[in-house]
Short mmCIF file of all heavy atoms in Angstrom, two decimals:
data_model
loop_
_atom_site.label_atom_id
_atom_site.label_comp_id
_atom_site.label_asym_id
_atom_site.label_seq_id
_atom_site.Cartn_x
_atom_site.Cartn_y
_atom_site.Cartn_z
N MET A 1 10.19 -11.33 -28.60
CA MET A 1 9.52 -12.28 -29.31
C MET A 1 9.07 -13.48 -28.39
O MET A 1 9.91 -13.95 -27.62
CB MET A 1 10.25 -12.79 -30.52
CG MET A 1 9.45 -13.81 -31.40
SD MET A 1 10.48 -14.51 -32.64
CE MET A 1 9.79 -13.72 -34.08
N VAL A 2 7.84 -13.91 -28.57
CA VAL A 2 7.33 -14.99 -27.69
C VAL A 2 7.80 -16.36 -28.28
O VAL A 2 7.73 -16.53 -29.52
CB VAL A 2 5.72 -14.99 -27.60
CG1 VAL A 2 5.26 -16.13 -26.79
CG2 VAL A 2 5.36 -13.61 -27.05
N SER A 3 8.32 -17.20 -27.44
CA SER A 3 8.71 -18.51 -27.92
C SER A 3 7.57 -19.38 -28.35
O SER A 3 6.49 -19.14 -27.99
CB SER A 3 9.51 -19.28 -26.78
OG SER A 3 8.66 -19.69 -25.85
N ARG A 4 7.81 -20.26 -29.27
CA ARG A 4 6.81 -21.14 -29.83
C ARG A 4 6.11 -22.01 -28.69
O ARG A 4 4.92 -22.26 -28.73
CB ARG A 4 7.27 -21.98 -30.93
CG ARG A 4 7.60 -21.21 -32.16
CD ARG A 4 8.07 -21.98 -33.32
NE ARG A 4 8.39 -21.19 -34.40
CZ ARG A 4 8.10 -21.43 -35.64
NH1 ARG A 4 7.42 -22.42 -35.94
NH2 ARG A 4 8.54 -20.60 -36.57
N LYS A 5 6.93 -22.42 -27.78
CA LYS A 5 6.37 -23.26 -26.72
C LYS A 5 5.37 -22.45 -25.84
O LYS A 5 4.27 -22.97 -25.57
CB LYS A 5 7.49 -23.74 -25.67
CG LYS A 5 8.35 -24.85 -26.26
CD LYS A 5 9.32 -25.33 -25.26
CE LYS A 5 10.22 -26.43 -25.87
NZ LYS A 5 11.25 -26.85 -24.84
N LYS A 6 5.59 -21.17 -25.54
CA LYS A 6 4.71 -20.35 -24.84
C LYS A 6 3.49 -20.10 -25.64
O LYS A 6 2.42 -20.09 -25.10
CB LYS A 6 5.43 -19.12 -24.39
CG LYS A 6 4.54 -18.24 -23.46
CD LYS A 6 5.31 -17.09 -22.90
CE LYS A 6 4.44 -16.44 -21.80
NZ LYS A 6 5.09 -15.34 -21.19
N SER A 7 3.65 -19.93 -26.96
CA SER A 7 2.48 -19.64 -27.82
C SER A 7 1.51 -20.80 -27.80
O SER A 7 0.35 -20.62 -27.64
CB SER A 7 2.97 -19.40 -29.23
OG SER A 7 3.72 -18.20 -29.33
N LYS A 8 2.05 -21.97 -27.83
CA LYS A 8 1.17 -23.21 -27.80
C LYS A 8 0.50 -23.36 -26.45
O LYS A 8 -0.63 -23.74 -26.41
CB LYS A 8 1.95 -24.43 -28.17
CG LYS A 8 2.25 -24.46 -29.73
CD LYS A 8 2.91 -25.77 -30.06
CE LYS A 8 3.29 -25.74 -31.57
NZ LYS A 8 3.82 -27.04 -32.00
N ALA A 9 1.27 -23.08 -25.41
CA ALA A 9 0.71 -23.25 -24.05
C ALA A 9 -0.44 -22.20 -23.80
O ALA A 9 -1.32 -22.48 -23.06
CB ALA A 9 1.81 -23.04 -23.02
N MET A 10 -0.35 -21.06 -24.48
CA MET A 10 -1.27 -19.96 -24.19
C MET A 10 -2.39 -19.92 -25.33
O MET A 10 -3.14 -19.08 -25.46
CB MET A 10 -0.63 -18.60 -24.24
CG MET A 10 0.47 -18.46 -23.11
SD MET A 10 -0.27 -18.62 -21.46
CE MET A 10 -1.25 -17.15 -21.40
N LYS A 11 -2.49 -21.01 -26.12
CA LYS A 11 -3.46 -21.07 -27.20
C LYS A 11 -4.81 -20.98 -26.61
O LYS A 11 -5.13 -21.62 -25.70
CB LYS A 11 -3.28 -22.36 -28.01
CG LYS A 11 -4.18 -22.45 -29.16
CD LYS A 11 -3.97 -23.76 -29.90
CE LYS A 11 -5.01 -23.88 -30.99
NZ LYS A 11 -4.92 -25.19 -31.70
N LYS A 12 -5.63 -20.18 -27.18
CA LYS A 12 -6.99 -20.01 -26.75
C LYS A 12 -7.83 -21.04 -27.40
O LYS A 12 -8.28 -20.94 -28.62
CB LYS A 12 -7.56 -18.63 -27.13
CG LYS A 12 -6.66 -17.55 -26.35
CD LYS A 12 -7.08 -16.21 -26.87
CE LYS A 12 -6.24 -15.08 -26.25
NZ LYS A 12 -4.95 -14.97 -27.06
N ASP A 13 -8.23 -22.12 -26.72
CA ASP A 13 -8.87 -23.29 -27.36
C ASP A 13 -10.21 -23.69 -26.60
O ASP A 13 -10.70 -24.70 -26.85
CB ASP A 13 -7.98 -24.50 -27.38
CG ASP A 13 -7.56 -24.99 -26.04
OD1 ASP A 13 -7.87 -24.30 -25.03
OD2 ASP A 13 -6.83 -26.05 -25.95
N SER A 14 -10.73 -22.73 -25.79
CA SER A 14 -11.87 -23.00 -25.04
C SER A 14 -12.69 -21.79 -24.86
O SER A 14 -12.20 -20.68 -24.97
CB SER A 14 -11.46 -23.61 -23.68
OG SER A 14 -12.65 -24.05 -22.88
N GLN A 15 -13.98 -21.99 -24.58
CA GLN A 15 -14.84 -20.85 -24.46
C GLN A 15 -15.57 -20.96 -23.06
O GLN A 15 -15.82 -22.07 -22.59
CB GLN A 15 -15.98 -20.82 -25.55
CG GLN A 15 -15.46 -20.46 -26.85
CD GLN A 15 -16.68 -20.40 -27.75
OE1 GLN A 15 -17.81 -20.83 -27.54
NE2 GLN A 15 -16.42 -19.80 -28.96
N LEU A 16 -15.90 -19.76 -22.49
CA LEU A 16 -16.67 -19.70 -21.25
C LEU A 16 -17.85 -18.85 -21.59
O LEU A 16 -17.71 -17.62 -21.92
CB LEU A 16 -15.79 -19.13 -20.15
CG LEU A 16 -16.53 -18.76 -18.85
CD1 LEU A 16 -17.03 -20.09 -18.18
CD2 LEU A 16 -15.66 -18.01 -17.91
N ILE A 17 -19.03 -19.42 -21.51
CA ILE A 17 -20.24 -18.62 -21.84
C ILE A 17 -20.93 -18.21 -20.55
O ILE A 17 -21.09 -19.03 -19.61
CB ILE A 17 -21.20 -19.51 -22.69
CG1 ILE A 17 -20.53 -19.88 -23.96
CG2 ILE A 17 -22.51 -18.72 -22.94
CD1 ILE A 17 -21.26 -20.89 -24.80
N ILE A 18 -21.10 -16.88 -20.47
CA ILE A 18 -21.82 -16.37 -19.20
C ILE A 18 -23.00 -15.58 -19.66
O ILE A 18 -23.08 -15.06 -20.70
CB ILE A 18 -20.86 -15.49 -18.43
CG1 ILE A 18 -20.38 -14.30 -19.22
CG2 ILE A 18 -19.69 -16.33 -17.90
CD1 ILE A 18 -19.62 -13.26 -18.43
N ARG A 19 -23.96 -15.42 -18.72
CA ARG A 19 -25.12 -14.67 -18.92
C ARG A 19 -25.08 -13.51 -18.06
O ARG A 19 -24.96 -13.70 -16.81
CB ARG A 19 -26.42 -15.51 -18.83
CG ARG A 19 -26.41 -16.62 -19.79
CD ARG A 19 -27.75 -17.34 -19.75
NE ARG A 19 -28.92 -16.49 -20.08
CZ ARG A 19 -29.29 -16.15 -21.30
NH1 ARG A 19 -28.58 -16.61 -22.35
NH2 ARG A 19 -30.39 -15.44 -21.55
N ILE A 20 -25.16 -12.21 -18.58
CA ILE A 20 -25.13 -11.10 -17.73
C ILE A 20 -26.16 -10.11 -18.23
O ILE A 20 -26.69 -10.20 -19.41
CB ILE A 20 -23.78 -10.33 -17.69
CG1 ILE A 20 -23.29 -9.89 -19.01
CG2 ILE A 20 -22.71 -11.23 -17.03
CD1 ILE A 20 -22.07 -9.02 -19.01
N ASN A 21 -26.55 -9.06 -17.48
CA ASN A 21 -27.51 -8.05 -17.85
C ASN A 21 -26.93 -7.34 -19.04
O ASN A 21 -25.74 -6.94 -19.12
CB ASN A 21 -27.64 -7.13 -16.62
CG ASN A 21 -28.52 -5.95 -16.94
OD1 ASN A 21 -28.08 -5.06 -17.63
ND2 ASN A 21 -29.76 -6.02 -16.49
N GLY A 22 -27.78 -7.03 -20.05
CA GLY A 22 -27.35 -6.38 -21.29
C GLY A 22 -26.74 -5.04 -21.09
O GLY A 22 -25.87 -4.62 -21.72
N GLU A 23 -27.35 -4.24 -20.05
CA GLU A 23 -26.93 -2.94 -19.81
C GLU A 23 -25.45 -2.95 -19.22
O GLU A 23 -24.60 -2.10 -19.56
CB GLU A 23 -27.81 -2.18 -18.90
CG GLU A 23 -29.13 -1.86 -19.54
CD GLU A 23 -30.17 -1.10 -18.57
OE1 GLU A 23 -29.77 -0.84 -17.45
OE2 GLU A 23 -31.24 -0.87 -18.97
N GLU A 24 -25.23 -3.90 -18.29
CA GLU A 24 -23.89 -4.10 -17.76
C GLU A 24 -22.83 -4.40 -18.78
O GLU A 24 -21.76 -3.99 -18.82
CB GLU A 24 -23.94 -5.16 -16.63
CG GLU A 24 -24.62 -4.72 -15.39
CD GLU A 24 -24.67 -5.72 -14.34
OE1 GLU A 24 -24.67 -6.92 -14.65
OE2 GLU A 24 -24.79 -5.40 -13.16
N ARG A 25 -23.27 -5.38 -19.71
CA ARG A 25 -22.36 -5.77 -20.75
C ARG A 25 -22.04 -4.54 -21.61
O ARG A 25 -20.91 -4.38 -21.97
CB ARG A 25 -22.98 -6.88 -21.61
CG ARG A 25 -22.07 -7.38 -22.76
CD ARG A 25 -23.00 -7.57 -24.01
NE ARG A 25 -22.13 -8.00 -25.07
CZ ARG A 25 -21.84 -7.06 -26.06
NH1 ARG A 25 -22.24 -5.85 -25.99
NH2 ARG A 25 -21.10 -7.48 -27.06
N ASP A 26 -23.01 -3.89 -22.08
CA ASP A 26 -22.79 -2.69 -22.96
C ASP A 26 -21.86 -1.70 -22.32
O ASP A 26 -20.95 -1.18 -22.92
CB ASP A 26 -24.04 -2.07 -23.31
CG ASP A 26 -24.95 -3.01 -24.27
OD1 ASP A 26 -24.43 -3.98 -24.77
OD2 ASP A 26 -26.19 -2.73 -24.40
N ALA A 27 -22.14 -1.42 -21.04
CA ALA A 27 -21.30 -0.41 -20.25
C ALA A 27 -19.91 -0.93 -20.20
O ALA A 27 -18.89 -0.18 -20.34
CB ALA A 27 -21.84 -0.20 -18.84
N PHE A 28 -19.68 -2.25 -19.91
CA PHE A 28 -18.32 -2.83 -19.86
C PHE A 28 -17.62 -2.77 -21.22
O PHE A 28 -16.44 -2.38 -21.25
CB PHE A 28 -18.48 -4.34 -19.41
CG PHE A 28 -17.17 -5.08 -19.29
CD1 PHE A 28 -16.23 -4.70 -18.38
CD2 PHE A 28 -16.92 -6.17 -20.14
CE1 PHE A 28 -15.02 -5.40 -18.21
CE2 PHE A 28 -15.69 -6.84 -20.01
CZ PHE A 28 -14.77 -6.47 -19.08
N VAL A 29 -18.28 -3.11 -22.28
CA VAL A 29 -17.71 -3.09 -23.60
C VAL A 29 -17.30 -1.61 -24.03
O VAL A 29 -16.17 -1.45 -24.47
CB VAL A 29 -18.61 -3.70 -24.64
CG1 VAL A 29 -18.09 -3.48 -26.09
CG2 VAL A 29 -18.86 -5.19 -24.44
N VAL A 30 -18.19 -0.70 -23.69
CA VAL A 30 -17.83 0.71 -24.05
C VAL A 30 -16.66 1.19 -23.25
O VAL A 30 -15.72 1.81 -23.75
CB VAL A 30 -19.10 1.68 -23.73
CG1 VAL A 30 -18.65 3.07 -23.79
CG2 VAL A 30 -20.20 1.36 -24.76
N LEU A 31 -16.63 0.79 -21.96
CA LEU A 31 -15.50 1.24 -21.12
C LEU A 31 -14.09 0.64 -21.66
O LEU A 31 -13.14 1.30 -21.64
CB LEU A 31 -15.72 0.93 -19.64
CG LEU A 31 -14.68 1.27 -18.62
CD1 LEU A 31 -14.50 2.78 -18.61
CD2 LEU A 31 -15.11 0.85 -17.27
N CYS A 32 -14.30 -0.61 -21.98
CA CYS A 32 -13.03 -1.26 -22.54
C CYS A 32 -12.55 -0.66 -23.79
O CYS A 32 -11.43 -0.39 -23.96
CB CYS A 32 -13.35 -2.77 -22.80
SG CYS A 32 -13.47 -3.77 -21.39
N GLU A 33 -13.51 -0.27 -24.62
CA GLU A 33 -13.14 0.49 -25.91
C GLU A 33 -12.49 1.80 -25.60
O GLU A 33 -11.50 2.16 -26.22
CB GLU A 33 -14.34 0.54 -26.77
CG GLU A 33 -14.80 -0.65 -27.43
CD GLU A 33 -16.13 -0.55 -28.16
OE1 GLU A 33 -16.75 0.58 -28.12
OE2 GLU A 33 -16.58 -1.50 -28.83
N GLU A 34 -13.04 2.49 -24.65
CA GLU A 34 -12.43 3.78 -24.25
C GLU A 34 -11.10 3.60 -23.72
O GLU A 34 -10.23 4.50 -23.84
CB GLU A 34 -13.33 4.52 -23.21
CG GLU A 34 -14.63 5.00 -23.73
CD GLU A 34 -15.59 5.50 -22.74
OE1 GLU A 34 -15.29 5.53 -21.52
OE2 GLU A 34 -16.69 5.98 -23.11
N MET A 35 -10.78 2.47 -23.06
CA MET A 35 -9.52 2.15 -22.45
C MET A 35 -8.56 1.49 -23.38
O MET A 35 -7.48 1.00 -23.08
CB MET A 35 -9.64 1.44 -21.19
CG MET A 35 -10.46 2.18 -20.12
SD MET A 35 -10.74 1.21 -18.65
CE MET A 35 -9.14 1.22 -17.95
N ASP A 36 -9.00 1.37 -24.71
CA ASP A 36 -8.14 0.69 -25.72
C ASP A 36 -7.84 -0.79 -25.44
O ASP A 36 -6.69 -1.17 -25.55
CB ASP A 36 -6.94 1.55 -26.06
CG ASP A 36 -6.28 1.11 -27.41
OD1 ASP A 36 -7.03 0.64 -28.33
OD2 ASP A 36 -5.08 1.21 -27.53
N THR A 37 -8.77 -1.49 -24.96
CA THR A 37 -8.65 -2.82 -24.65
C THR A 37 -9.90 -3.59 -25.10
O THR A 37 -10.87 -3.00 -25.71
CB THR A 37 -8.40 -3.20 -23.12
OG1 THR A 37 -8.11 -4.52 -22.95
CG2 THR A 37 -9.51 -2.68 -22.28
N SER A 38 -9.96 -4.91 -24.98
CA SER A 38 -11.23 -5.62 -25.38
C SER A 38 -11.78 -6.26 -24.18
O SER A 38 -11.15 -6.53 -23.10
CB SER A 38 -10.86 -6.67 -26.39
OG SER A 38 -10.12 -7.72 -25.83
N ALA A 39 -13.11 -6.52 -24.21
CA ALA A 39 -13.82 -7.19 -23.10
C ALA A 39 -13.16 -8.52 -22.87
O ALA A 39 -12.95 -8.99 -21.74
CB ALA A 39 -15.35 -7.28 -23.45
N ALA A 40 -12.95 -9.24 -23.95
CA ALA A 40 -12.35 -10.61 -23.75
C ALA A 40 -11.00 -10.55 -23.11
O ALA A 40 -10.71 -11.34 -22.19
CB ALA A 40 -12.25 -11.25 -25.16
N ARG A 41 -10.16 -9.60 -23.44
CA ARG A 41 -8.86 -9.50 -22.76
C ARG A 41 -8.95 -9.12 -21.33
O ARG A 41 -8.17 -9.77 -20.54
CB ARG A 41 -8.04 -8.35 -23.47
CG ARG A 41 -6.65 -8.15 -22.95
CD ARG A 41 -5.88 -7.07 -23.63
NE ARG A 41 -5.75 -7.31 -25.02
CZ ARG A 41 -5.87 -6.36 -25.99
NH1 ARG A 41 -6.06 -5.06 -25.71
NH2 ARG A 41 -5.75 -6.73 -27.23
N GLU A 42 -9.93 -8.32 -20.97
CA GLU A 42 -10.10 -7.95 -19.52
C GLU A 42 -10.64 -9.12 -18.76
O GLU A 42 -10.30 -9.34 -17.61
CB GLU A 42 -10.91 -6.70 -19.39
CG GLU A 42 -10.26 -5.47 -19.97
CD GLU A 42 -8.81 -5.24 -19.46
OE1 GLU A 42 -8.58 -5.33 -18.22
OE2 GLU A 42 -7.95 -4.92 -20.21
N VAL A 43 -11.55 -9.90 -19.33
CA VAL A 43 -12.09 -11.10 -18.66
C VAL A 43 -10.96 -12.10 -18.42
O VAL A 43 -10.77 -12.76 -17.40
CB VAL A 43 -13.26 -11.70 -19.41
CG1 VAL A 43 -13.69 -13.03 -18.84
CG2 VAL A 43 -14.48 -10.67 -19.35
N ARG A 44 -10.18 -12.32 -19.50
CA ARG A 44 -8.99 -13.28 -19.34
C ARG A 44 -8.02 -12.79 -18.25
O ARG A 44 -7.59 -13.56 -17.48
CB ARG A 44 -8.29 -13.46 -20.65
CG ARG A 44 -9.07 -14.30 -21.66
CD ARG A 44 -8.16 -14.66 -22.92
NE ARG A 44 -7.68 -13.45 -23.64
CZ ARG A 44 -8.23 -12.94 -24.65
NH1 ARG A 44 -9.38 -13.43 -25.05
NH2 ARG A 44 -7.71 -11.84 -25.22
N ARG A 45 -7.75 -11.49 -18.24
CA ARG A 45 -6.93 -10.92 -17.20
C ARG A 45 -7.47 -11.11 -15.79
O ARG A 45 -6.78 -11.53 -14.94
CB ARG A 45 -6.67 -9.46 -17.45
CG ARG A 45 -5.64 -8.79 -16.59
CD ARG A 45 -5.28 -7.32 -16.98
NE ARG A 45 -6.40 -6.51 -16.88
CZ ARG A 45 -6.68 -5.75 -15.82
NH1 ARG A 45 -5.89 -5.87 -14.73
NH2 ARG A 45 -7.75 -4.99 -15.70
N PHE A 46 -8.77 -10.96 -15.71
CA PHE A 46 -9.35 -11.11 -14.39
C PHE A 46 -9.28 -12.62 -13.97
O PHE A 46 -8.96 -12.91 -12.88
CB PHE A 46 -10.93 -10.79 -14.44
CG PHE A 46 -11.66 -11.30 -13.23
CD1 PHE A 46 -11.57 -10.67 -11.99
CD2 PHE A 46 -12.46 -12.46 -13.33
CE1 PHE A 46 -12.25 -11.13 -10.93
CE2 PHE A 46 -13.11 -12.93 -12.24
CZ PHE A 46 -13.02 -12.29 -10.99
N ILE A 47 -9.49 -13.47 -14.90
CA ILE A 47 -9.50 -14.93 -14.54
C ILE A 47 -8.08 -15.32 -14.08
O ILE A 47 -7.94 -16.04 -13.11
CB ILE A 47 -9.99 -15.82 -15.75
CG1 ILE A 47 -11.50 -15.62 -15.95
CG2 ILE A 47 -9.62 -17.32 -15.61
CD1 ILE A 47 -12.03 -16.19 -17.18
N ARG A 48 -7.03 -14.90 -14.82
CA ARG A 48 -5.64 -15.26 -14.51
C ARG A 48 -5.36 -14.76 -13.10
O ARG A 48 -4.71 -15.41 -12.28
CB ARG A 48 -4.70 -14.64 -15.56
CG ARG A 48 -4.70 -15.37 -16.83
CD ARG A 48 -3.66 -14.78 -17.74
NE ARG A 48 -3.92 -15.25 -19.13
CZ ARG A 48 -4.27 -14.51 -20.13
NH1 ARG A 48 -4.34 -13.19 -19.98
NH2 ARG A 48 -4.52 -15.07 -21.36
N GLN A 49 -5.75 -13.44 -12.80
CA GLN A 49 -5.38 -12.90 -11.52
C GLN A 49 -6.14 -13.64 -10.39
O GLN A 49 -5.58 -13.90 -9.36
CB GLN A 49 -5.74 -11.38 -11.46
CG GLN A 49 -5.35 -10.64 -10.28
CD GLN A 49 -3.81 -10.62 -10.11
OE1 GLN A 49 -3.10 -10.50 -11.05
NE2 GLN A 49 -3.37 -10.75 -8.84
N PHE A 50 -7.42 -13.94 -10.61
CA PHE A 50 -8.20 -14.63 -9.68
C PHE A 50 -7.64 -15.98 -9.37
O PHE A 50 -7.52 -16.41 -8.17
CB PHE A 50 -9.66 -14.81 -10.20
CG PHE A 50 -10.61 -15.47 -9.24
CD1 PHE A 50 -11.29 -14.67 -8.29
CD2 PHE A 50 -10.83 -16.84 -9.28
CE1 PHE A 50 -12.14 -15.32 -7.43
CE2 PHE A 50 -11.74 -17.38 -8.35
CZ PHE A 50 -12.40 -16.67 -7.47
N VAL A 51 -7.23 -16.76 -10.35
CA VAL A 51 -6.67 -18.07 -10.19
C VAL A 51 -5.34 -17.91 -9.39
O VAL A 51 -5.02 -18.73 -8.46
CB VAL A 51 -6.44 -18.82 -11.49
CG1 VAL A 51 -5.54 -20.05 -11.35
CG2 VAL A 51 -7.81 -19.16 -12.10
N LYS A 52 -4.51 -17.00 -9.76
CA LYS A 52 -3.18 -16.73 -9.12
C LYS A 52 -3.42 -16.45 -7.67
O LYS A 52 -2.77 -17.03 -6.80
CB LYS A 52 -2.49 -15.58 -9.79
CG LYS A 52 -1.16 -15.29 -9.32
CD LYS A 52 -0.52 -14.12 -10.04
CE LYS A 52 0.86 -13.75 -9.45
NZ LYS A 52 1.39 -12.64 -10.16
N GLU A 53 -4.31 -15.53 -7.34
CA GLU A 53 -4.61 -15.14 -5.99
C GLU A 53 -5.13 -16.29 -5.12
O GLU A 53 -4.70 -16.42 -3.97
CB GLU A 53 -5.45 -13.93 -5.91
CG GLU A 53 -4.85 -12.67 -6.36
CD GLU A 53 -5.85 -11.55 -6.39
OE1 GLU A 53 -6.99 -11.72 -6.08
OE2 GLU A 53 -5.43 -10.38 -6.82
N ASN A 54 -5.96 -17.06 -5.66
CA ASN A 54 -6.67 -18.08 -4.91
C ASN A 54 -5.94 -19.37 -4.88
O ASN A 54 -6.16 -20.13 -3.95
CB ASN A 54 -8.09 -18.23 -5.39
CG ASN A 54 -8.96 -17.03 -5.02
OD1 ASN A 54 -9.36 -16.86 -3.90
ND2 ASN A 54 -9.16 -16.21 -5.96
N ALA A 55 -5.09 -19.68 -5.84
CA ALA A 55 -4.26 -20.88 -5.81
C ALA A 55 -3.19 -20.73 -4.71
O ALA A 55 -2.84 -21.80 -4.11
CB ALA A 55 -3.60 -21.05 -7.19
N GLN A 56 -2.75 -19.59 -4.39
CA GLN A 56 -1.75 -19.42 -3.40
C GLN A 56 -2.25 -19.68 -1.98
O GLN A 56 -1.56 -20.15 -1.08
CB GLN A 56 -1.21 -17.99 -3.39
CG GLN A 56 -0.38 -17.67 -4.66
CD GLN A 56 0.00 -16.20 -4.73
OE1 GLN A 56 -0.46 -15.41 -3.92
NE2 GLN A 56 0.78 -15.84 -5.69
N SER A 57 -3.60 -19.57 -1.75
CA SER A 57 -4.13 -19.74 -0.46
C SER A 57 -4.52 -21.15 -0.17
O SER A 57 -4.87 -21.43 0.96
CB SER A 57 -5.41 -18.80 -0.31
OG SER A 57 -6.44 -19.28 -1.26
N GLN A 58 -4.35 -22.04 -1.06
CA GLN A 58 -4.72 -23.41 -0.90
C GLN A 58 -3.51 -24.28 -0.58
O GLN A 58 -2.39 -24.13 -0.79
CB GLN A 58 -5.36 -24.00 -2.14
CG GLN A 58 -6.77 -23.33 -2.28
CD GLN A 58 -7.49 -23.99 -3.40
OE1 GLN A 58 -7.25 -25.16 -3.86
NE2 GLN A 58 -8.53 -23.28 -3.93
#
């Protein structure tokens, strides 16, 4: 079970709006569905990994 402190720290309270090609978006969403995940989850995972990898180099 996730502790309440962690739940509050991980609260999704912001949005990031991006513009991408519609065909790329559709292909990404379909692939995510086929892999039983969501586009939002995968974008969040990418952002966390990107920050982790690049924060270490500074």
Side-chain angles (χ1 to χ4, degrees):
M1 180 187 253
V2 177
S3 71
R4 290 184 186 224
K5 286 183 181 180
K6 189 170 185 177
S7 296
K8 288 184 179 184
M10 298 299 288
K11 182 180 176 187
K12 297 171 187 87
D13 62 354
S14 187
Q15 291 183 345
L16 175 66
I17 299 172
I18 61 170
R19 298 189 59 81
I20 61 171
N21 176 284
E23 290 179 5
E24 289 177 331
R25 179 219 175 261
D26 293 344
F28 180 65
V29 170
V30 167
L31 184 57
C32 287
E33 288 173 354
E34 289 174 359
M35 298 177 72
D36 196 29
T37 187
S38 70
R41 182 181 299 143
E42 294 307 314
V43 170
R44 285 191 300 268
R45 188 172 64 90
F46 167 78
I47 290 171
R48 287 185 195 112
Q49 187 65 35
F50 183 86
V51 169
K52 181 180 176 182
E53 288 174 2
N54 290 285
Q56 293 173 353
S57 65
Q58 292 187 18

